[in-house]
Amino acid sequence: MTHVLRTAAWITATACAVWILSGLVRLDAPMWFLATLSAYAGIAMWRPFDALLLLAGLGPLIGVTTALTGLPLRSTHTLEAFVLLLLAGAIVRARPKARAGDLPRPFTCALLLLGGVAALSAYAQFPLMALRLGHRDSLIEVWRILTWSYFEHSLGFGAFAQAMLLIEGLGLCGVVAYSVRTASDASRLAGLLVAGAAGAAAINVYRLVEVTLRNGPFFERLWPSLLTLRINTQFGDLNAAGSYFAMMTVIAVGFAGFSSKRALIFGCAVLPLVGATWLSGSRAAVLATAVCSAWLLVSRLAPLAPRQISRTVVLRATVVLVAIAGMIAVYPAVRNVPVGYSVFARVELAKTGMRMLRETPLTGVGIARFYELFPTYSSAHLRRKFLEAALVPVTRENAHNNFVQILAELGIVGFVPLVGVLAMARKSGQGGWTDPTLRRSLLAGAAAFLATCLAGHPLLSPEVAYPFWLLLGLVVGGGRAVIGSPSPWVAGIVAAVLVTLVATLPIQTRGFLRNADLDGVSTGLSQWQRDEGGMRYRWAGRESSFFVETGAPVLLLPLQAVGDTARVVQLRIDGRVANEWLIPTGAWKTVRVVLVPRSGEWRFREIQLVVNTPAAVAATPSDRVLMVGRPEWLGRPTSGGATTH
């Protein structure tokens, strides 16, 4: 069985590398970029560890490079291409080999289970993705787009993109954990992670200097700028940037010192990293940096020997409390929303996640769907507070707590393996690398990042998530002996769970479609227009459809035929023929669409219009054979609003 899985992984990885390069060729990427990717793919297949070093050091700067060189890609897609090539090369390099009694370890099983749950959750949403992209043949169209033009699409693939991000991160974690074999290699990889972060931090510090110089005398404006500005040039999420720089700052503090040239270099890296953490404006990141750095420094100065336990614990607690008090005293209150509001919002968002979990506790509401389902499960009090704070309606929001978001979206079957991965990483790290500085620095950096996950969602940002999974792999890699012995029953449980999820995919798919927000989704319809009388309408082809939210039982729909003669228009509701009308030309005819109540709690109904045309005309394609006006509910209160599809 293991041999079969490895062979499948090897074939998939090889196909993945070809897919990436061919997709970028179709995107008309420059030849120098394709040559760079091809060279990197070769390095990944020949020497995966060297490819890891390149990704760690240069990955944080890929976004800036993409912008400066004018590549026809989003910065996250450029970085993702390198990550996918690294993973494909590492798998190809491993080659499928079978050995007697070769079974996955518990750590591997946890990675596979979490990645499998994410993949199946995204796969169950393929029909929904297809509808939103304007296609009815879900699997064929979604797979065509993914395999032929994935790097061209940024919208409509939220579930797939988020599943890919998690799977890629888990893959990086596994590659590092099983390929970095010595403390020297681990130190090199950790050093390049810090070096790349320091380079990105230096760009943010430069941006601060640039903005300050534009606003007046530099030294007069520098302090006000530090107290008010929030700056980050690489990542779209300021709080996620804070999580990243907090993690790297703590690692640099752990290695910094005066004992060697290398320690001095790490000490120099601390300065821009601290500056970037501050400039991100994330209070959770600043606090995590202060606490974990203080804890780390005390651990270095006062090793935990048995006779020193009580004294060291007291010293650590004192330093941590001083760090927290100092952060509260120094951090300006005007830079962010009030602390009370921030805490209230995160508590309410956590309650929102728990409501989602109660709905589907085992499999969750679906990966990447917390943001979409926020209006359905959030409290009116929270939405009102959002309106008061932002002065505009906040209709969508993430959990601002990565653990709650994963629990709500992937359910218990997804959250348990995540906890297992983190627990085994902690156990492995405590008994891992023989170099105490390396061991403590990696653990403290991971702890700082995970602490910020309680107040944010950094794992949703690729530029931040990838370095964390690399770091977690380093933590695990030092303690292979404590990752767990090969266990057949653990592998059996994982296989049983995944088989059960595959068997229940149709049920999950129906659940996603039943509860989906399909507002504005349509096929065969143009953008909104206005006729001479100010009537809003859209052009329709011979077959068109749109979705309306369930409301009153009767929908009024204005229609007008295009051409010299009236047209027969057939109405289908949810795929079933419901009525047929003769629609005139040159004048609007408002028809009544009667929606018979349907079993279940489907939020949206599909209205499909089929125009019957003469045989001589039917052979000629046309996307303007019918004008479809704005539908309105009959008898629905005005406060409920009419649909504006």
Side-chain angles (χ1 to χ4, degrees), residues 603-639:
R603 290 182 57 194
F604 286 83
R605 309 292 295 273
E606 184 182 18
I607 307 298
Q608 187 177 7
L609 301 173
V610 179
V611 181
N612 295 326
T613 57
V617 181
T620 305
S622 175
D623 57 356
R624 295 191 174 189
V625 298
L626 187 68
M627 299 167 65
V628 181
R630 180 175 179 266
E632 294 187 8
W633 293 105
L634 179 64
R636 185 173 181 177
T638 305
S639 59

Side-chain angles (χ1 to χ4, degrees), residues 341-359 365 370-371 373-374 377-379 382-383 386 397-409 415 453-457:
Y341 168 80
S342 181
V343 173
F344 159 79
R346 282 163 171 78
V347 170
E348 284 295 318
L349 286 168
K351 292 179 180 178
T352 303
M354 293 303 102
R355 295 187 192 102
M356 295 181 188
L357 182 65
R358 283 198 296 270
E359 189 78 18
V365 295
F370 189 105
Y371 187 84
L373 296 177
F374 169 81
Y377 293 93
S378 60
S379 65
L382 175 61
R383 293 194 296 272
F386 276 166
E397 190 54 273
N398 281 307
H400 283 74
N401 184 320
N402 243 138
F403 300 106
V404 170
Q405 183 130 354
I406 291 174
L407 179 60
E409 291 182 348
F415 190 72
C453 287
L454 294 171
H457 37 260

Side-chain angles (χ1 to χ4, degrees), residues 14-72:
T14 306
C16 180
V18 176
W19 162 61
I20 294 167
L21 295 176
S22 62
L24 294 173
V25 168
R26 287 189 298 273
L27 196 57
D28 198 23
M31 287 304 300
W32 67 265
F33 180 62
L34 295 175
T36 301
L37 283 175
S38 301
Y40 186 76
I43 295 172
M45 286 187 284
W46 185 251
R47 297 179 64 87
F49 180 70
D50 290 343
L52 279 171
L53 295 178
L54 289 172
L55 181 68
L58 300 179
L61 304 177
I62 284 180
V64 175
T65 305
T66 301
L68 292 177
T69 56
L71 288 174

